[in-house]
Amino acid sequence: MTLQEMVNQAASLYSDRKAVWFDECNDKPPTFYTYATVVKLAMELTAFLQKHCGQQGKCEIGLYCYPGINVPSWILGILQVPAAYSPIDPDAPPMSSTYFMKKSNLQYILVENDKINKFRMSHVGCFHHNSSTIEHIGLTLFQMSSSNTDLNSQIDDVKSKYEPFKAMGNSQPGCSVCPDQTEVKTSEGRYMDVGQKYSLAYVLHTSGTTGIPKIVRVPHKCIVPNIQHLKSIFEITQDDTLFLASPLTFDPSVVELFVALTSGASILVVPNTIKMMPVELSTALFHHHHVTVLQATPTLLRRFGAHIIKSTVLSANTSLRVLALGGEAFPVLNLLKSWKHEDNKTSIFNLYGITEVSSWATCYKIPEEVFSPDFRTDFPIPLGSPLLGTKVEVRDTNGSAVLEGEGQIFIGGEERICFLDDEITVPLGTMRETGDFVRVQNAKLFFLGRKDNQIKRHGKRFNIECLQQSVLGLLGDATRISKDAIFLYSGGDSLKALRFYDEIEMLVGKAVPGLLEVILSRSIEEVYRHILKILFPDEDQLMNYDNAVKRKLSGNSGEEFHGKYIKLKSERGLEVASGLISFIALSRGNHFFPMNFTKSFMQPNNTVQVGVELLQQPSVPHLVTPSIMKSHAQGYEMENRILTVMNKANKTDCCSVQQIHAECSHVTTAELALRIRWKSNTRKCVDASPLVIIPSKEEVSASVYVGSHSHAMQAIDLDLGEIKWEKNLGDRIESSACVSKCGNFIVVGCYDGLVYVLQSSDGEIHWTFVTEDTVKSSAVVDPSSGLVYIGSHDQHVYTLDIYKKACIWKLHCEGGAVFSSPCLSSFPHHLYVATLGGLLLAVNPVTGNKIWKNLLGKPLFSSPHCNEKYVCVGCVDGNLYCYTHSGEKVWQFSTNGPVFSSPCISSLTKQEIFFGSHDCFIYCCNMEGNLLWKFEATSSVYGTPFIFQSDDLKNKILLAAVSTDGKVWILNAKSGTAEGVDKLPGEVFSSPVVWGTKLVVGCRNDYVYCLDLYITGKKEQLRC
């Protein structure tokens, strides 16, 4: 029996049932093919290939494509030639895919039509166009060029790359010879031959993590028993819907496809980008298509995040009947129990296998009783029983069988055999070594990890594999992470760091002091070592941080760097201009900074107001600029007076606009809409929040200053979206910029540990100040003295005089990196600093002396904000805390998720505090800590809200907020009702800033967006 025969049998029984769904998760409705359509398209492809391809029966055909509705037809069409299909990932490095194609001797490649240019550019000279395009099937056939020296040179490059690791490979070259440790009793004289006609189903390659990637040719006889047995275990019927979770290059995809298509069930396919978007993916799987069977890696499951897993994937009323986890270490039971609702009925399985014996070798169903509250939390999850036709053995280092104790696992079977690399014949019953170690106890196998990932001290065992899986799950990447990788450089962020921190403490079963700071600023290897130092404190050699990067603190302009850092001095001498620039600066959370106004304004008829933090502005005169601004009119309320800026600009002067269509979870009505005014490409994620500066001079346009993970700092024209200048700094930028008192300089922190002072006009470096670790804190400027206050992950807060290029004072914050921004209060004159060690400090801004401190116990990512009475700060324990200026706790307000958002306190609303939580709500409470309203967004709220008011928007007091799924919400600040909503095409961790009717915010799709807010003139339904 072959895979294609099994599919055709099912198709004859269920011809009119839906075989495959494809959902792009956008405005287009999902499309589907019935079994009859899948078979019809497959037959057409088969006929085409039989006409154009030789070596039928022994042929292997590459398939270069992305996941789509045609994938099952394409695979079935190749199998029916008969031929083996060989998936090639268009996103893989061209050199590695070329190596794979050459090493597996592929003569033919089917290329998806809209990927032809990408294929040709990636593999110049390797293949030539062999036929006309099969338009309605969407493929074009290419054939290997007879002469390609370029290809051979690329192969040599790849071989040389992997050569140093050759000794680490698990299998030996040659036809039928197995390594000594894999020799077993075989059926005498009986072999499986790779050249046997019609025998092969597909060709893959291993990842190469333990040496040169191996080509794996998989016969039908090897994979069909897997499909048959798992269909039985999972009790698959024609009513099930499975998800194609795995890439085609990962052999569990074969199980997902053929368990569905040989049963009359449906397979759901989504684009790769959607797999990286937890909200969209969970909505498609469980709300739109009601997926019943999910086979996935723990990485994919973790990617949803705890909230979505609890509320959707493993909720009480989920559609999911079967969850089968494999490909990585099984999640620790404590974590799984915390995810699973007590009334959830999903059956959960642990799968184990290796590509060299494709696909799965063992399966274990987790007993329902282990999820009961009183069940022991340290219950180990075994690998389970061998699947049909599979043999599993455990051997010690001498090759002897282990019946009790620890050893390496070997997998094989009479016909569960694949051909590796150049193998032509393999003895039946051959066993393959896995490199994985297990403990045998009472005839059950318990996974210990890779043989090179075991650390044991004084009888205690610590498995780096489990720790590594936590990293992989949070970074959303199924490939291995280098030990030298920095968590935050590899896709991590502060929320993922917190999850990682929690998972590690759960994994090791105890608190790990100082761990969060290590995660946020050091390499994965140093995370391991820090944990080991806590677990095994008597091991001196574990306590040496030889590889830690240390930097020298220097107060002058020429800082010295150590390790990977280079020496950097000011690029040119620059004297501060004697004339002061009059300007208004706006940044996240309604930070408002008007400076150097000298004459009064005439009062305009049309005003727009933005609430400000009164106590941030001690010395600002209550006067307004004489010039007419080039922006919409804005008024700022300061100590009950109005600072007003007139608008003279033509309101229709925006460049081409693009409508964003909203997708909402509930329906309401509103007259307010948003559209893209402009967007600026920074080339990598924008997590920093924008700084908007509006000069008083009419001839100088307003500017947006924002940094990116690409190391680029951009100055963008607020009206036109044109880049005024761009400056590449030394590393990733997550700090939000602030402007100097004089207006001539922009101050921003960087991952390289520097605080950069850039000239605001052209981005040239005026001064750099070196801290001893990453600077993600955003600086704040004292409008009286012009001093700059900023924190660092080196656990210090610094006061800098950027004109004298000197550090006035620095203060160690008693353990705990300073991630958030300091907050400056005028009356009393305090500087408030929050740390990841959970400490809230009040500091004298002049002397640097501590005034008071409060330990909240959990990390503080939120920046403290204050008014004349109180200082407030959010905490990852889910609370918003309120203190008096003398350090007395007044109240705490509880939410159901970590609070990363900083509180927004505005003079426009006077008695309200606005903030977001990872429980997906935007909150408004009063100064007594009582809830006034809360609004449910469609995802977690990381950024800080922004209060504003405009006559152009019917003079309502509005609140701008963003959720991490990219939704931009405009709410009525008084009632909490939605006035408008739109969606950006990426995740958003930046905080919005509004000037007039322009909203500026960064996005993780690499762009900074400016959105125009406008009245539609009619009420429209918002699909939130």
Side-chain angles (χ1 to χ4, degrees), residues 727-887:
K727 183 72 176 178
N728 281 326
L729 306 188
D731 210 325
R732 178 171 161 179
I733 307 165
E734 199 170 309
S735 166
S736 302
C738 80
V739 63
S740 64
K741 177 182 177 180
C742 64
N744 290 310
F745 304 111
I746 299 299
V747 182
V748 66
C750 184
Y751 269 51
D752 61 6
L754 293 182
V755 179
Y756 286 83
V757 182
L758 308 176
Q759 188 170 348
S760 57
S761 59
D762 58 13
E764 291 300 313
I765 295 176
H766 166 62
W767 182 48
T768 56
F769 175 78
V770 183
T771 76
E772 294 189 33
D773 212 328
T774 297
V775 180
K776 295 206 288 183
S777 172
S778 301
V780 63
V781 174
D782 189 325
S784 297
S785 65
L787 294 177
V788 174
Y789 303 93
I790 194 166
S792 168
H793 271 58
D794 66 8
Q795 304 186 5
H796 288 83
V797 63
Y798 296 89
T799 299
L800 307 178
D801 187 327
I802 64 172
Y803 306 107
K804 295 180 178 178
K805 299 182 180 180
C807 177
I808 304 302
W809 56 257
K810 66 172 183 174
L811 174 68
H812 186 265
C813 296
E814 300 184 21
V818 182
F819 173 95
S820 61
S821 305
C823 171
L824 188 64
S825 164
S826 300
F827 309 106
H829 198 199
H830 287 178
L831 182 73
Y832 295 109
V833 182
T835 78
L836 295 184
L839 197 65
L840 178 64
L841 289 165
V843 181
N844 185 318
V846 178
T847 64
N849 295 326
K850 294 173 189 172
I851 300 170
W852 55 260
K853 63 182 178 181
N854 273 299
L855 182 63
L856 280 67
K858 288 287 185 180
L860 300 174
F861 286 87
S862 168
S863 299
H865 278 198
C866 65
N867 65 6
E868 64 273 14
K869 287 186 176 180
Y870 303 123
V871 56
C872 297
V873 67
C875 182
V876 300
D877 65 4
N879 289 305
L880 180 74
Y881 290 91
C882 178
Y883 291 87
T884 65
H885 287 289
S886 58

Side-chain angles (χ1 to χ4, degrees), residues 276-288:
M276 302 299 292
M277 302 173 72
V279 174
E280 284 79 359
L281 183 61
S282 64
T283 301
L285 264 58
F286 303 109
H287 295 308
H288 295 165

